[in-house]
Amino acid sequence: MASKKRIQGGRASVRRAVYLPAVVATRFNPDMKAKYEHLISTGKCKKLAITAVMRKLIVTANTLLRDQRKWGEYPA
């Protein structure tokens, strides 16, 4: 029997704060939804896919802060 997957490391308070926005992003943000569905289709577990979306949200937020930009829909 496979062991239960765990996420550890990093800051637990940040993980708790970003989890629900990541869940919402997988439903309504086209880029995040594509990332989530791609990971699921390659056989990754849902927890890992949500964690990847959480990381992508944090990286995106850090980039926006660094460049002093606001969020907006930008064509690829």
Side-chain angles (χ1 to χ4, degrees):
M1 183 172 166
S3 64
K4 192 168 186 171
K5 302 291 183 190
R6 297 182 143 217
I7 298 169
Q8 64 184 33
R11 295 171 290 193
S13 60
V14 175
R15 281 198 312 272
R16 280 193 301 271
V18 180
Y19 174 76
L20 197 54
V23 172
V24 172
T26 61
R27 294 183 61 198
F28 299 107
N29 183 302
D31 294 332
M32 302 296 175
K33 185 175 186 175
K35 173 82 169 174
Y36 178 79
E37 289 176 354
H38 171 72
L39 289 168
I40 297 296
S41 69
T42 59
K44 303 296 181 187
C45 67
K46 291 181 180 181
K47 186 182 282 190
L48 183 139
I50 288 288
T51 305
V53 171
M54 289 166 59
R55 178 178 166 78
K56 191 168 181 174
L57 281 175
I58 291 171
V59 169
T60 301
N62 284 335
T63 302
L64 291 173
L65 288 170
R66 181 195 67 207
D67 298 343
Q68 297 180 346
R69 290 183 7 210
K70 293 186 179 188
W71 172 258
E73 293 293 328
Y74 299 105

